[in-house]
Amino acid sequence: MPSYRDSEEYFERWYRFLKLESDAERERLASRRESRKARGMSDRSIEAQGDTLMHMVISDHRTGLGGRTIATFVKRQSQALLPWNRFRVGAPVVASDENTLMDVANGVVCARSSSSVEVVFDDWPEGKFFRLELSADEVTRKRQQTAMLQALQGRGRIAQFRELLIHDKEPQFFPIKNLQTIEASLAKSPLNASQREAIIHALGANDLAIIHGPPGTGKTTTVAELIRQAVAKGQRVLACAPSNTGVDNLLEKLVELGINAIRIGHPARVLESLQEHTLDYLVEADPAMKVIREMRREAEMLTSKAGRWTRAKPMPGAREDLKQEARRLRNDAKIFEEQIIDTKLDRASVICATTNYDPEILGDRTFDLGVIDEACQSTEPGYWPVVLRVEQLVLAGDHCQLPPTVLSTQATLEGLSKSMMERLVERWENRVTRQLTIQYRMHQKIMEFPSEHFYHGTLVADASVAEHTLADLPGIQTESLDAQPVLFVDTSGADWAEELDPNGESKLNPREAIWILKQVDALLAAGLLPDQIAVIAPYSAQVRFLRDRCTSNGVEIDTVDGFQGREKEAVLISLVRSNSQGEVGFLGDTRRMNVAMTRAKRKLIVIGDGSTLGRNAFFKKWIEHTENQGFYKSIWEFNPWEQDP
């Protein structure tokens, strides 16, 4: 990363990157639409790309915060499941009329299930049959641009953060008051020594501290306890993560600790224990909302009446009077609702939100402590909305896992895909960072290679997981399964070549997929439950191929990105790439493989073409590791000719 002569140069650079990213996203969406038109693609082929849902209808709707409409979309065929798609919570979408293809409303996904998608709109989406498409996320970029402008112009604490985060001023740490009391409190918790040390380190920061949490080390648990300690000191906390799921994971931990936390924005999961801590729920449950709902109903009636006079000509100005009265009622309802919102937020010790929260909801509130969990999944512009409002900043994440998602090739080459946390870790190393070292997820043999390759051998498997296997689970018969916790199956020489999917946008390997599904069947036959198994593939075409042919409901099949932060008892990975050129594509980003390999708790099965993969230094070491440990098998030890797609 370059050194910056002044703050203006820094922010101009990131403004330009956001513009590149915006252009890249619009070009990608436009290119896909043009390609579909040119090729006359079928509805099924269009949906297979994951960014469009067709033949949708509104099955239900309700009024959300601020009078917004929350519409539930399902397939026109009742009870039909949705195809694989990229409609994540928080994703911007455009709804269009399926007959005219005219856009009718822009919204944001606020919930999803296997058969439905909930979208929040400012205006009612007119129509009967709809097409939903992912759209460019300009709202998030505008919020980041506004935050960066405020950070450039700000004085006082904001100016100090500029010196710290842009100009390499060294973070400061001071002795903690009541340290013995805090240590005694932490000693009563189930936290390990490295977690307690990280918390004390962060509490002593005058401005910035970093918690590095490798897979399975309880990073979010540690962050939640840090927040509890801050609240016990009377501090107000802004707790954030780049994704809705990340925020909800943190909120769940805070609720378990009995902390008075409120979630703003769109919760990603429909857990009752979380819903009752959302701002929408709390406002809706307030007794005063009964009056506000009545005001809005009356406003709708007046608007309707103003538009349907038919029997006699109304008095001059009567229609406008009704519309004006309806507007007054809506404005009054909004003011009363905002008063309820302010009361709820002011009473909370912790506000939980994504890093790209709506600034209007928080108003001019500031916080003693700001925490960004999963900080490495955000580009630098995503940090500034949080920095603007806090006195002290704690970043938590793992720069050895997936980086931020960036669409622009040019922006990637110039550094947009490096998070601020990663940059600061490289700059200050152990002076600012504390790493968690004990992991509670993986068998030690599953952990061993990632620990050596990514974490300098520092990870230690807790005794509770170090030797656990599938055989320890109740009702499991493992006689027919490979006994080792790790298995790499090399398809070299079997001519299981990769293929380009029909749309030309992704890759698949049908024979690898069929072999993987046979292993899934074997695990199920041994007694594992479907929800204890995950299948991971780096390419969306392989994911679709696997999902179309998997007969076991409940087995999760997704891309690497979809599994970050997740875990399963058994994980199977199809690496897909098999070609004479030795090209591994974006598998060359080893952080992606770190995520995939560290999702498994008791059993990890990987299949790939060693002759292709072995030309990459990382995979060469992986193959050598599996050979040395006795985890390696050739596909010829099975019957490769049974794997006909």
Side-chain angles (χ1 to χ4, degrees):
M1 296 292 288
S3 298
Y4 299 98
R5 292 168 298 178
D6 54 47
S7 298
E8 189 169 343
E9 180 188 11
Y10 168 90
F11 287 115
E12 283 180 353
R13 183 171 187 262
W14 289 105
Y15 260 89
R16 186 171 66 84
F17 282 176
L18 287 179
K19 176 67 164 56
L20 289 171
E21 191 70 353
S22 177
D23 292 345
E25 185 170 22
R26 284 200 299 268
E27 289 171 7
R28 185 184 69 165
L29 293 172
S31 175
R32 284 185 174 177
R33 292 191 184 103
E34 290 302 317
S35 175
R36 291 166 182 170
K37 290 180 181 178
R39 288 185 286 172
M41 292 173 61
S42 67
D43 291 351
R44 189 174 187 276
S45 296
I46 291 174
E47 283 196 320
Q49 294 185 332
D51 58 7
T52 304
L53 292 172
M54 307 183 71
H55 312 307
M56 306 294 286
V57 297
I58 296 176
S59 64
D60 194 12
H61 72 277
R62 65 185 190 277
T63 301
L65 204 62
R68 298 170 298 178
T69 295
I70 300 176
T72 301
F73 290 88
V74 299
K75 280 289 189 179
R76 191 187 306 181
Q77 299 83 7
S78 179
Q79 305 299 317
L81 297 179
L82 300 181
W84 175 85
N85 62 79
R86 298 186 178 92
F87 283 68
R88 311 298 185 196
V89 173
V93 299
V94 59
S96 57
D97 185 284
E98 197 161 69
N99 295 320
T100 65
L101 297 184
M102 295 291 291
D103 295 346
V104 295
N106 290 289
V108 175
V109 177
C110 61
R112 56 172 288 178
S113 70
S114 60
S115 59
S116 68
V117 173
E118 286 189 12
V119 182
V120 57
F121 298 99
D122 288 332
D123 302 303
W124 175 257
E126 296 289 347
K128 185 176 181 181
F129 302 116
F130 298 91
R131 171 187 294 202
L132 298 180
E133 291 183 272
L134 295 178
S135 61
D137 192 1
E138 295 302 328
V139 172
T140 291
R141 294 191 188 98
K142 287 178 181 178
R143 288 176 181 174
Q144 292 176 350
Q145 289 171 343
T146 300
M148 288 195 295
L149 179 61
Q150 293 172 340
L152 173 62
Q153 298 173 342
R155 299 181 178 180
R157 191 59 169 163
I158 300 302
Q160 294 174 5
F161 270 118
R162 288 201 303 269
E163 292 296 314
L164 182 78
L165 302 177
I166 300 174
H167 302 301
D168 288 343
K169 177 184 176 183
E170 184 169 357
Q172 300 296 310
F173 293 82
F174 297 105
I176 300 174
K177 295 179 180 179
N178 303 319
L179 177 59
Q180 291 183 334
T181 302
I182 294 173
E183 288 178 331
S185 173
L186 292 175
K188 297 177 183 177
S189 74
L191 300 179
N192 62 52
S194 68
Q195 292 170 326
R196 295 195 298 270
E197 181 185 356
I199 291 170
I200 292 173
H201 173 72
L203 290 173
N206 178 57
D207 33 42
L208 171 71
I210 295 175
I211 298 175
H212 178 198
T217 55
K219 170 183 54 62
T220 302
T221 297
T222 304
V223 169
E225 178 59 30
L226 167 65
I227 293 172
R228 190 182 77 84
Q229 293 291 336
V231 169
K233 295 196 301 180
Q235 294 185 340
R236 294 201 74 204
V237 181
L238 178 60
C240 297
S243 69
N244 283 281
T245 301
V247 179
D248 289 342
N249 289 338
L250 183 52
L251 175 62
E252 187 173 12
K253 297 291 185 183
L254 295 173
V255 169
E256 290 173 0
L257 293 174
I259 295 172
N260 179 18
I262 288 184
R263 167 74 154 95
I264 65 174
H266 307 301
R269 293 182 292 169
V270 189
L271 292 180
E272 187 174 348
S273 60
L274 297 184
Q275 289 291 326
E276 63 187 23
H277 294 276
T278 64
L279 181 61
D280 292 63
Y281 180 97
L282 291 167
V283 171
E284 190 65 24
D286 192 284
M289 280 300 296
K290 182 177 181 181
V291 176
I292 293 172
R293 285 191 289 269
E294 185 58 39
M295 293 171 70
R296 285 179 173 148
R297 276 195 294 268
E298 186 175 348
E300 290 299 323
M301 291 172 59
L302 291 173
T303 301
S304 177
K305 184 177 180 181
R308 68 168 185 260
W309 253 306
T310 57
R311 293 184 182 179
K313 185 177 180 179
M315 295 289 291
R319 291 181 189 271
E320 187 56 38
D321 288 344
L322 288 173
K323 292 179 181 179
Q324 185 173 345
E325 177 63 12
R327 285 194 294 269
R328 185 191 66 77
L329 283 169
R330 289 193 185 96
N331 288 336
D332 287 348
K334 183 178 180 181
I335 291 171
F336 294 154
E337 187 179 65
E338 287 173 349
Q339 291 173 347
I340 297 173
I341 291 171
D342 286 340
T343 300
K344 303 299 182 186
L345 293 177
D346 289 341
R347 289 176 179 174
S349 300
V350 181
I351 304 295
C352 296
T354 63
T355 51
N356 295 305
Y357 59 83
D358 182 351
E360 291 186 7
I361 292 179
L362 289 184
D364 59 359
R365 291 175 178 81
T366 58
F367 301 83
D368 302 291
L369 172 64
V371 175
I372 303 180
D373 196 10
E374 305 292 359
C376 292
Q377 294 181 36
S378 174
T379 60
E380 292 221 9
Y383 288 69
W384 290 101
V386 180
V387 174
L388 282 176
R389 294 181 180 267
V390 303
E391 291 293 314
Q392 178 194 0
L393 180 67
V394 174
L395 307 178
D398 182 10
H399 51 282
C400 300
Q401 295 190 60
L402 287 177
T405 300
V406 177
L407 300 177
S408 167
T409 302
Q410 182 64 33
T412 300
L413 291 173
E414 295 190 36
L416 182 59
S417 62
K418 175 175 281 190
S419 69
M420 182 185 288
M421 176 177 155
E422 182 177 0
R423 175 170 64 83
L424 294 171
V425 168
E426 291 177 355
R427 176 67 181 87
W428 299 115
E429 297 180 343
N430 294 334
R431 282 175 284 180
V432 176
T433 305
R434 291 295 181 272
Q435 182 193 319
L436 308 182
T437 58
I438 300 177
Q439 65 87 14
Y440 299 88
R441 174 185 300 161
M442 297 166 276
H443 187 289
Q444 59 187 2
K445 291 298 182 180
I446 298 175
M447 174 201 75
E448 195 170 68
F449 181 78
S451 177
E452 291 294 335
H453 192 85
F454 295 100
Y455 307 106
H456 309 289
T458 57
L459 293 188
V460 176
D462 185 73
S464 62
V465 302
E467 298 289 343
H468 69 178
T469 66
L470 294 179
D472 300 325
L473 296 172
I476 303 298
Q477 304 295 324
T478 58
E479 292 81 3
S480 61
L481 302 178
D482 182 271
Q484 298 285 13
V486 180
L487 172 63
F488 173 62
V489 177
D490 185 355
T491 66
S492 295
D495 195 27
W496 288 11
E498 65 189 55
E499 299 176 8
L500 197 62
D501 81 325
N503 299 319
E505 295 189 354
S506 187
K507 291 179 171 60
L508 68 157
N509 192 314
R511 288 183 172 82
E512 275 191 16
I514 297 301
W515 188 90
I516 283 281
L517 292 175
K518 288 181 181 294
Q519 309 316 304
V520 169
D521 290 341
L523 291 169
L524 293 170
L528 264 73
L529 301 176
D531 63 5
Q532 294 176 314
I533 303 171
V535 178
I536 300 177
Y539 291 92
S540 58
Q542 186 79 337
V543 169
R544 290 194 296 270
F545 187 94
L546 286 159
R547 286 183 173 178
D548 288 345
R549 289 157 179 80
C550 183
T551 58
S552 302
N553 292 332
V555 174
E556 287 196 60
I557 304 173
D558 210 336
T559 59
V560 181
D561 302 59
F563 271 102
Q564 179 142 325
R566 309 283 306 286
E567 61 183 35
K568 293 287 184 176
E569 301 293 349
V571 171
L572 304 93
I573 305 173
S574 169
L575 296 177
V576 177
R577 301 310 300 262
S578 177
N579 55 74
S580 58
Q581 297 79 31
E583 294 179 357
V584 297
F586 62 75
L587 286 183
D589 185 344
T590 58
R591 293 173 293 185
R592 179 165 272 100
M593 287 311 303
N594 185 29
V595 172
M597 290 178 173
T598 55
R599 301 307 97 196
K601 297 169 70 174
R602 302 169 190 264
K603 184 75 173 181
L604 173 65
I605 300 174
V606 183
I607 185 170
D609 181 353
S611 61
T612 297
L613 300 169
R615 301 190 203 182
N616 173 274
F618 171 83
F619 286 105
K620 184 173 184 292
K621 290 181 180 178
W622 159 252
I623 295 170
E624 290 173 350
H625 171 78
T626 60
E627 289 174 334
N628 293 335
Q629 295 291 323
F631 302 152
Y632 176 97
K633 285 188 177 182
S634 168
I635 192 63
W636 298 99
E637 297 181 52
F638 302 86
N639 185 347
W641 308 115
E642 291 181 354
Q643 322 305 320
D644 292 326

